[in-house]
Amino acid sequence: MKNSIQALKLYQVIYFIYNCTIYAMKIHLIYNEKRYHKIRPLLRDHEVRLLRGIADVLQAALREVRTEETSVVMIDSYGRYAVLGLLARSLFGADFVVRIRGSMLEESHDRIRNANSSLERLRLQMGEWLIRRCLRTCDAIAYNSKHVRRKLRPFVSDQAHEEVVYNPFTEDGHGKATTLNNDLPTAGLCLLTVTNMDFDAKINPTIRAVTEWMRPEIWERYDMYWIILGDGRHIGRLRDSVREKGLGAHISVQGWVDDPFPYYDWCDVYVHMTELDAFPNVTMEAMSRSCPILTNEDSCGVREQVIDGKTGYLVGSQDEFQRRLEEYATLPERRKQHGKEGKRLVESNWTVESQRKRMNALLGRFGKPEKSHAS
């Protein structure tokens, strides 16, 4: 019996060490300055070489000479970055990894549909062809949500390795020592939305909620005030809708702000109405500040963030939207409880450490390890 217990303990130690072992590899990352802060924490255990342009790709190709060490080319952006990634993959003879961001094909369709000229439409169509080429030929793909995986899986080779690697929650320099803006109004129930106004499928549900789902009497009854942040080509349409409905006293469309965290601290309920988002950072940011989330039933990847009745509510009609708002207005303890559960979910499920392990699991499926070390 004693020998069996010792053997079990030894097995547990070996299993723990095995799972904590990171196989480091060389990653040639096609560098996008605007996106690098998102991907960098997920690749901390590896040797990352940044390729900023075609000159970097050609110089790196001369150095590589097709060695046997584990090496991959990775992209997390498209357009010219996809071109550089496909070129580097061909020159290096390396495996090709695509890190998905956003709902890429749906966003591409939206842009093509709203193109202002034939030349712009052609450019966007070429960009979509590159996206599809990357999906079809990649050796591994890191999806950013289960929703996106369902959408893109038909375009990806059956031989490609797959993993869902969520964008981890990071404050990216914001929210460290936020102070509440004195200009923010006091109200009985403070609502907040932060959204990208470039896409029909993101702005239309917000406009519908503002102009159709909010009954006129509810504003005064519960002293509600709604701030909407963000920018894009549809911001004028949103402002026109607010003005036409005579809601200027209750809704403020403030546009882009550098740091939204003071607004999360101000609001009682974060409202995110969308039909496109893959796994939005803004909902995680709001949840990290203990905000309950109100979203529509067909809100794509937001459904992976909001547990209905626990961290917020999913609503599918005007009546349900009204009922949940009235509930939050009259039951502050429920708001507090949902906000508390949302914060716990962010801190336990979408940390940098947990998502880096997912990325390492994906990268660990390639070739012979170059070296190893404990995490």
Side-chain angles (χ1 to χ4, degrees), residues 122-140:
L122 178 61
R123 179 182 64 81
L124 292 170
Q125 288 171 340
M126 291 178 62
E128 180 168 320
W129 180 85
L130 280 170
I131 291 173
R132 291 174 181 266
R133 178 68 178 170
C134 290
L135 293 175
R136 180 56 61 187
T137 62
C138 69
D139 299 291

mmCIF file of all heavy atoms in Angstrom, residues 122-140:
data_model
loop_
_atom_site.group_PDB
_atom_site.id
_atom_site.type_symbol
_atom_site.label_atom_id
_atom_site.label_comp_id
_atom_site.label_asym_id
_atom_site.label_seq_id
_atom_site.Cartn_x
_atom_site.Cartn_y
_atom_site.Cartn_z
ATOM 1 N N LEU A 122 -12.731 46.809 -55.196
ATOM 2 C CA LEU A 122 -11.772 45.845 -55.729
ATOM 3 C C LEU A 122 -10.658 45.582 -54.718
ATOM 4 O O LEU A 122 -10.255 44.430 -54.509
ATOM 5 C CB LEU A 122 -11.188 46.376 -57.034
ATOM 6 C CG LEU A 122 -10.116 45.501 -57.698
ATOM 7 C CD1 LEU A 122 -10.684 44.131 -58.060
ATOM 8 C CD2 LEU A 122 -9.555 46.197 -58.943
ATOM 9 N N ARG A 123 -10.166 46.647 -54.094
ATOM 10 C CA ARG A 123 -9.107 46.492 -53.082
ATOM 11 C C ARG A 123 -9.599 45.620 -51.925
ATOM 12 O O ARG A 123 -8.865 44.730 -51.451
ATOM 13 C CB ARG A 123 -8.688 47.863 -52.564
ATOM 14 C CG ARG A 123 -7.601 47.818 -51.492
ATOM 15 C CD ARG A 123 -7.275 49.203 -50.986
ATOM 16 N NE ARG A 123 -8.405 49.829 -50.323
ATOM 17 C CZ ARG A 123 -8.757 49.575 -49.051
ATOM 18 N NH1 ARG A 123 -8.078 48.695 -48.333
ATOM 19 N NH2 ARG A 123 -9.782 50.194 -48.511
ATOM 20 N N LEU A 124 -10.811 45.849 -51.473
ATOM 21 C CA LEU A 124 -11.370 45.073 -50.362
ATOM 22 C C LEU A 124 -11.606 43.623 -50.765
ATOM 23 O O LEU A 124 -11.398 42.700 -49.967
ATOM 24 C CB LEU A 124 -12.670 45.712 -49.884
ATOM 25 C CG LEU A 124 -12.530 47.084 -49.207
ATOM 26 C CD1 LEU A 124 -13.894 47.726 -49.009
ATOM 27 C CD2 LEU A 124 -11.800 46.956 -47.875
ATOM 28 N N GLN A 125 -12.026 43.392 -52.002
ATOM 29 C CA GLN A 125 -12.233 42.021 -52.477
ATOM 30 C C GLN A 125 -10.910 41.264 -52.550
ATOM 31 O O GLN A 125 -10.853 40.064 -52.233
ATOM 32 C CB GLN A 125 -12.926 42.052 -53.839
ATOM 33 C CG GLN A 125 -14.383 42.463 -53.772
ATOM 34 C CD GLN A 125 -15.004 42.698 -55.134
ATOM 35 O OE1 GLN A 125 -14.291 42.925 -56.124
ATOM 36 N NE2 GLN A 125 -16.320 42.644 -55.220
ATOM 37 N N MET A 126 -9.847 41.954 -52.961
ATOM 38 C CA MET A 126 -8.527 41.323 -52.962
ATOM 39 C C MET A 126 -8.098 40.985 -51.543
ATOM 40 O O MET A 126 -7.513 39.925 -51.294
ATOM 41 C CB MET A 126 -7.514 42.263 -53.618
ATOM 42 C CG MET A 126 -7.707 42.450 -55.107
ATOM 43 S SD MET A 126 -6.514 43.613 -55.834
ATOM 44 C CE MET A 126 -4.975 42.774 -55.497
ATOM 45 N N GLY A 127 -8.416 41.888 -50.610
ATOM 46 C CA GLY A 127 -8.107 41.620 -49.215
ATOM 47 C C GLY A 127 -8.835 40.402 -48.694
ATOM 48 O O GLY A 127 -8.270 39.584 -47.950
ATOM 49 N N GLU A 128 -10.101 40.249 -49.070
ATOM 50 C CA GLU A 128 -10.854 39.070 -48.628
ATOM 51 C C GLU A 128 -10.288 37.800 -49.248
ATOM 52 O O GLU A 128 -10.235 36.745 -48.596
ATOM 53 C CB GLU A 128 -12.338 39.215 -48.981
ATOM 54 C CG GLU A 128 -13.146 38.012 -48.527
ATOM 55 C CD GLU A 128 -14.638 38.242 -48.597
ATOM 56 O OE1 GLU A 128 -15.102 39.356 -48.250
ATOM 57 O OE2 GLU A 128 -15.348 37.294 -48.994
ATOM 58 N N TRP A 129 -9.852 37.875 -50.515
ATOM 59 C CA TRP A 129 -9.229 36.702 -51.127
ATOM 60 C C TRP A 129 -7.989 36.286 -50.340
ATOM 61 O O TRP A 129 -7.746 35.091 -50.126
ATOM 62 C CB TRP A 129 -8.848 37.015 -52.574
ATOM 63 C CG TRP A 129 -8.195 35.840 -53.268
ATOM 64 C CD1 TRP A 129 -8.816 34.807 -53.902
ATOM 65 C CD2 TRP A 129 -6.781 35.574 -53.338
ATOM 66 N NE1 TRP A 129 -7.887 33.922 -54.378
ATOM 67 C CE2 TRP A 129 -6.623 34.358 -54.047
ATOM 68 C CE3 TRP A 129 -5.651 36.247 -52.883
ATOM 69 C CZ2 TRP A 129 -5.376 33.809 -54.301
ATOM 70 C CZ3 TRP A 129 -4.408 35.692 -53.141
ATOM 71 C CH2 TRP A 129 -4.270 34.490 -53.843
ATOM 72 N N LEU A 130 -7.201 37.261 -49.884
ATOM 73 C CA LEU A 130 -6.012 36.956 -49.085
ATOM 74 C C LEU A 130 -6.392 36.294 -47.766
ATOM 75 O O LEU A 130 -5.731 35.353 -47.311
ATOM 76 C CB LEU A 130 -5.229 38.242 -48.806
ATOM 77 C CG LEU A 130 -4.335 38.745 -49.938
ATOM 78 C CD1 LEU A 130 -3.817 40.141 -49.618
ATOM 79 C CD2 LEU A 130 -3.165 37.779 -50.170
ATOM 80 N N ILE A 131 -7.453 36.790 -47.129
ATOM 81 C CA ILE A 131 -7.918 36.180 -45.885
ATOM 82 C C ILE A 131 -8.262 34.711 -46.114
ATOM 83 O O ILE A 131 -7.844 33.825 -45.361
ATOM 84 C CB ILE A 131 -9.143 36.933 -45.337
ATOM 85 C CG1 ILE A 131 -8.751 38.333 -44.853
ATOM 86 C CG2 ILE A 131 -9.792 36.150 -44.191
ATOM 87 C CD1 ILE A 131 -9.935 39.200 -44.451
ATOM 88 N N ARG A 132 -9.035 34.457 -47.168
ATOM 89 C CA ARG A 132 -9.437 33.083 -47.458
ATOM 90 C C ARG A 132 -8.224 32.206 -47.789
ATOM 91 O O ARG A 132 -8.182 31.025 -47.418
ATOM 92 C CB ARG A 132 -10.441 33.062 -48.612
ATOM 93 C CG ARG A 132 -11.800 33.668 -48.247
ATOM 94 C CD ARG A 132 -12.700 33.762 -49.473
ATOM 95 N NE ARG A 132 -13.981 34.340 -49.159
ATOM 96 C CZ ARG A 132 -15.081 33.649 -48.841
ATOM 97 N NH1 ARG A 132 -15.012 32.320 -48.809
ATOM 98 N NH2 ARG A 132 -16.215 34.246 -48.580
ATOM 99 N N ARG A 133 -7.248 32.781 -48.477
ATOM 100 C CA ARG A 133 -6.035 32.039 -48.800
ATOM 101 C C ARG A 133 -5.286 31.650 -47.527
ATOM 102 O O ARG A 133 -4.806 30.519 -47.390
ATOM 103 C CB ARG A 133 -5.145 32.900 -49.707
ATOM 104 C CG ARG A 133 -3.815 32.268 -50.087
ATOM 105 C CD ARG A 133 -4.000 31.092 -50.998
ATOM 106 N NE ARG A 133 -2.720 30.514 -51.395
ATOM 107 C CZ ARG A 133 -2.595 29.356 -52.035
ATOM 108 N NH1 ARG A 133 -3.676 28.651 -52.357
ATOM 109 N NH2 ARG A 133 -1.409 28.903 -52.374
ATOM 110 N N CYS A 134 -5.190 32.581 -46.599
ATOM 111 C CA CYS A 134 -4.518 32.295 -45.333
ATOM 112 C C CYS A 134 -5.255 31.211 -44.552
ATOM 113 O O CYS A 134 -4.630 30.310 -43.976
ATOM 114 C CB CYS A 134 -4.413 33.572 -44.488
ATOM 115 S SG CYS A 134 -3.255 34.800 -45.122
ATOM 116 N N LEU A 135 -6.572 31.292 -44.527
ATOM 117 C CA LEU A 135 -7.354 30.290 -43.812
ATOM 118 C C LEU A 135 -7.182 28.908 -44.430
ATOM 119 O O LEU A 135 -7.025 27.907 -43.717
ATOM 120 C CB LEU A 135 -8.842 30.674 -43.820
ATOM 121 C CG LEU A 135 -9.242 31.922 -43.027
ATOM 122 C CD1 LEU A 135 -10.724 32.230 -43.237
ATOM 123 C CD2 LEU A 135 -8.945 31.754 -41.543
ATOM 124 N N ARG A 136 -7.197 28.849 -45.754
ATOM 125 C CA ARG A 136 -7.145 27.556 -46.433
ATOM 126 C C ARG A 136 -5.774 26.911 -46.350
ATOM 127 O O ARG A 136 -5.672 25.670 -46.324
ATOM 128 C CB ARG A 136 -7.550 27.753 -47.908
ATOM 129 C CG ARG A 136 -7.549 26.477 -48.744
ATOM 130 C CD ARG A 136 -8.434 25.396 -48.149
ATOM 131 N NE ARG A 136 -9.828 25.799 -48.047
ATOM 132 C CZ ARG A 136 -10.769 25.090 -47.447
ATOM 133 N NH1 ARG A 136 -10.450 23.939 -46.876
ATOM 134 N NH2 ARG A 136 -12.019 25.527 -47.387
ATOM 135 N N THR A 137 -4.715 27.702 -46.285
ATOM 136 C CA THR A 137 -3.361 27.139 -46.363
ATOM 137 C C THR A 137 -2.627 27.114 -45.022
ATOM 138 O O THR A 137 -1.510 26.601 -44.956
ATOM 139 C CB THR A 137 -2.504 27.930 -47.367
ATOM 140 O OG1 THR A 137 -2.374 29.290 -46.923
ATOM 141 C CG2 THR A 137 -3.137 27.908 -48.744
ATOM 142 N N CYS A 138 -3.208 27.664 -43.972
ATOM 143 C CA CYS A 138 -2.479 27.714 -42.692
ATOM 144 C C CYS A 138 -2.311 26.317 -42.103
ATOM 145 O O CYS A 138 -3.114 25.412 -42.338
ATOM 146 C CB CYS A 138 -3.180 28.639 -41.706
ATOM 147 S SG CYS A 138 -4.763 28.032 -41.090
ATOM 148 N N ASP A 139 -1.245 26.164 -41.319
ATOM 149 C CA ASP A 139 -0.976 24.896 -40.629
ATOM 150 C C ASP A 139 -1.606 24.868 -39.242
ATOM 151 O O ASP A 139 -1.781 23.797 -38.662
ATOM 152 C CB ASP A 139 0.533 24.694 -40.506
ATOM 153 C CG ASP A 139 1.205 24.627 -41.867
ATOM 154 O OD1 ASP A 139 0.988 23.636 -42.581
ATOM 155 O OD2 ASP A 139 1.920 25.586 -42.219
ATOM 156 N N ALA A 140 -1.919 26.040 -38.708
ATOM 157 C CA ALA A 140 -2.575 26.130 -37.404
ATOM 158 C C ALA A 140 -3.340 27.447 -37.344
ATOM 159 O O ALA A 140 -2.956 28.436 -37.972
ATOM 160 C CB ALA A 140 -1.563 26.056 -36.263
#
